[in-house]
Amino acid sequence: MNILLIGSGGREHALAWKIKESPLADKLYAVPGNPGIAEIAECVSGVDIEDNDALVKLAKEKDIGLVVVGPEVPLMNGIVDAMTAAGIKAFGPTKEAAELEGSKVYAKVIMRRYKIPTARSEVFGDLSRAHVYVRQMRTPFAIKADGLAAGKGVILTQTVDEAVAALDLMMKEKAFGDAGNRVVIEEFMEGEEASVLAFTDGETIIPMVASQDHKRAHDGDEGPNTGGMGTYAPAPVMTPERMAEVTEKILKPVIAGMKQEGRPYKGCLYAGLMITKQGPKVVEFNARFGDPETQVVLPLLKGDLVEIMLACVDGTLADKTIEWSDGAAVCVVMASGGYPGSYEKGKEITGLNAAKAAGSLVFHAGTKAQDGKIVTSGGRVLGVVGQGADIKSAVAKAYEGVDTIHFDGEFHRHDIAHRALARLS
Ligand code: AMP
Ligand code: GLY
């Protein structure tokens, strides 16, 4: 069948790469895609990924049998609903189910209702009441804008002054627009983070191997928060016992809960977790694959991704078993100098073929083809993935790939997987 992939980042390049392995995949189209994806798919330009009608029209023209949605915005725009209404299968949650990511208040309501372990929290729509609350409590908080804020809507605060400033930024200065009309003030959780992605058809849940992201820009988890500077899988912090606990206490209740709410959730559910002294607790749910988690999880998937996605859409996931490789994968993000702040674009990238020839997977994220060259066009430029029998050899392989690639102003973290290496040694 023909497949249409929506999105343009490293996550989408990894999805495209795995989709192309499937014997079920005939022609792969990507909207808008990127130069890496263009090596294995036909990229379609001039179609807005926020325009459902245009996407449905394209899917009909290209005789698409399955649509795969990468980013959250089209999901929240109801692209899966629109495709389904047009008789086209689409992998991902409906608009109503995607609210689990789209509204942090909604996610908290669901977690409370279905007794899913998470940080204690209060919701405020009124700034002065929120001020009173943080002044009374005087503890560290995670203060979160309710709506989508491109991954920037969470501020961690230690002091009352910091909390007040964060509230003012969101609710008075409207730094995140309407996303900050309501805020969630959450208890600060201590622990190690992990990401567990799961396939689900709304009924059956099959977790993927656990991974760990590195959100801070610089080595030693210093510097500002980013979209993610690197990942590895499997994450040893998620022992088999903890995985079982996450499945029973978090994944199963949330999927059963969404069904009970009349918003059955299908697709990939991303649980961002904090492994606290009391056990794993939910930091956030995302309604999509993680970026750059996907870049390390999919290389470990032994089965046919298209077959699994179709089973999620068709409600037949219970018939499937999914196998994972025993090895490990590590992704190092190569970024533009200045990211996540402002940075220059248009820098020529060299060494891509050498890295691939040496056995790394090189996923494009912020690149552009220009005059026969590949140049930088975003903050996170590439995700270089090394695979190996264990984390240590996968780390070495990933950095070997990174060392062959160059562009002006490039920076990356040198300590991806440090927690895993410390735990394993
Ligand atoms: P989120 O966008 O909800 O994933 O939050 C961004 C980051 O903020 C997370 O990856 C955590 O590192 C941190 N964070 C969010 N909520 C909490 C919390 N309640 N306690 C501690 N850290 C948090
Ligand atoms: N890696 C974090 C995210 O995809 O939201």
Side-chain angles (χ1 to χ4, degrees):
M1 67 174 62
N2 294 340
I3 298 175
L4 174 64
L5 172 66
I6 298 173
S8 63
R11 163 183 54 207
E12 286 76 17
H13 190 179
L15 285 164
W17 167 78
K18 195 69 191 172
I19 287 169
K20 279 301 279 188
E21 273 189 359
S22 167
L24 295 171
D26 291 320
K27 187 143 182 147
L28 176 62
Y29 296 91
V31 181
N34 67 36
I37 296 173
E39 291 173 11
I40 49 176
E42 182 176 326
C43 294
V44 181
S45 58
V47 176
D48 180 358
I49 65 164
E50 297 186 30
D51 183 343
N52 289 350
D53 291 342
L55 289 168
V56 169
K57 185 164 166 276
L58 176 72
K60 284 185 176 162
E61 270 169 28
K62 303 293 187 192
D63 191 24
I64 297 298
L66 176 68
V67 177
V68 176
V69 189
E72 60 275 19
V73 173
L75 292 169
M76 273 143 228
N77 275 340
I79 186 60
V80 171
D81 312 64
M83 291 291 174
T84 308
I88 300 163
K89 290 183 183 183
F91 177 85
T94 59
K95 181 186 172 99
E96 280 198 327
E99 213 177 324
L100 219 40
E101 171 168 2
S103 166
K104 296 205 186 275
V105 173
Y106 180 72
K108 281 290 182 186
V109 168
I110 292 296
M111 285 189 266
R112 191 167 298 185
R113 196 168 290 159
Y114 297 97
K115 304 193 169 45
I116 293 166
T118 185
R120 261 181 290 121
S121 65
E122 296 287 335
V123 177
F124 293 90
D126 179 90
L127 178 61
S128 51
R129 283 179 192 217
H131 280 170
V132 170
Y133 179 74
V134 297
R135 289 206 166 95
Q136 272 170 356
M137 300 295 285
R138 311 191 67 80
T139 52
F141 289 113
I143 299 185
K144 307 186 173 187
D146 174 38
L148 282 187
K152 299 191 181 96
V154 176
I155 301 178
L156 305 178
T157 63
Q158 288 298 324
T159 64
V160 171
D161 285 348
E162 283 171 13
V164 166
L167 290 167
D168 288 350
L169 186 74
M170 289 180 191
M171 302 183 84
K172 195 156 81 188
E173 293 152 38
K174 296 271 170 212
F176 310 113
D178 287 345
N181 288 349
R182 289 189 295 178
V183 298
V184 179
I185 305 184
E186 218 175 75
E187 159 204 18
F188 186 89
M189 296 186 283
E190 302 276 358
E192 191 172 332
E193 283 183 76
S195 305
V196 175
L197 282 57
F199 292 109
T200 177
D201 63 359
E203 200 71 63
T204 301
I205 301 142
I206 304 186
M208 303 181 214
V209 289
S211 53
Q212 192 173 63
D213 193 3
H214 300 63
K215 294 213 165 126
R216 301 295 198 97
H218 304 301
D219 290 0
D221 296 314
E222 303 277 343
N225 253 316
T226 70
M229 293 300 292
T231 39
Y232 63 91
V237 63
M238 289 305 295
T239 57
E241 296 72 36
R242 285 196 180 121
M243 256 333 247
E245 192 180 346
V246 167
T247 304
E248 292 306 316
K249 294 192 179 157
I250 295 171
L251 300 174
K252 284 188 181 171
V254 72
I255 293 302
M258 292 301 282
K259 188 181 170 199
Q260 195 162 325
E261 298 290 313
R263 303 189 188 199
Y265 187 103
K266 293 182 177 196
C268 173
L269 178 68
Y270 169 137
L273 305 169
M274 189 72 80
I275 312 307
T276 71
K277 286 203 182 90
Q278 300 95 43
K281 293 186 182 180
V282 176
V283 175
E284 63 167 347
F285 286 120
N286 290 322
R288 50 172 175 80
F289 285 92
D291 189 348
E293 284 89 341
T294 308
Q295 290 87 316
V296 290
V297 170
L298 291 186
L300 300 177
L301 173 63
K302 276 189 177 166
D304 177 339
L305 179 62
V306 174
E307 195 185 306
I308 298 166
M309 286 178 158
L310 287 169
C312 290
V313 178
D314 293 340
T316 56
L317 197 59
D319 306 337
K320 301 274 172 231
T321 43
I322 299 183
E323 288 188 70
W324 300 91
S325 134
D326 292 331
V330 171
C331 173
V332 178
V333 170
M334 301 180 75
S336 297
Y339 173 78
S342 61
Y343 50 84
E344 290 179 20
K345 299 182 187 175
K347 308 291 181 196
E348 185 183 353
I349 305 168
T350 58
L352 290 169
N353 289 331
K356 281 188 271 184
S360 298
L361 288 164
V362 181
F363 293 125
H364 289 229
T367 70
K368 197 172 84 171
Q370 189 176 291
D371 307 326
K373 293 172 182 160
I374 304 289
V375 301
T376 65
S377 72
R380 291 190 296 174
V381 176
L382 299 167
V384 180
V385 176
Q387 293 169 267
D390 54 21
I391 295 276
K392 199 168 169 219
S393 57
V395 166
K397 197 83 209 155
Y399 281 106
E400 214 179 287
V402 166
D403 287 341
T404 69
I405 299 174
H406 300 278
F407 53 89
D408 274 357
E410 186 275 334
F411 84 97
H412 58 265
R413 280 184 58 161
H414 304 85
D415 62 348
I416 299 302
H418 66 95
R419 284 196 186 78
L421 294 174
R423 209 172 262 280
L424 296 170
S425 72

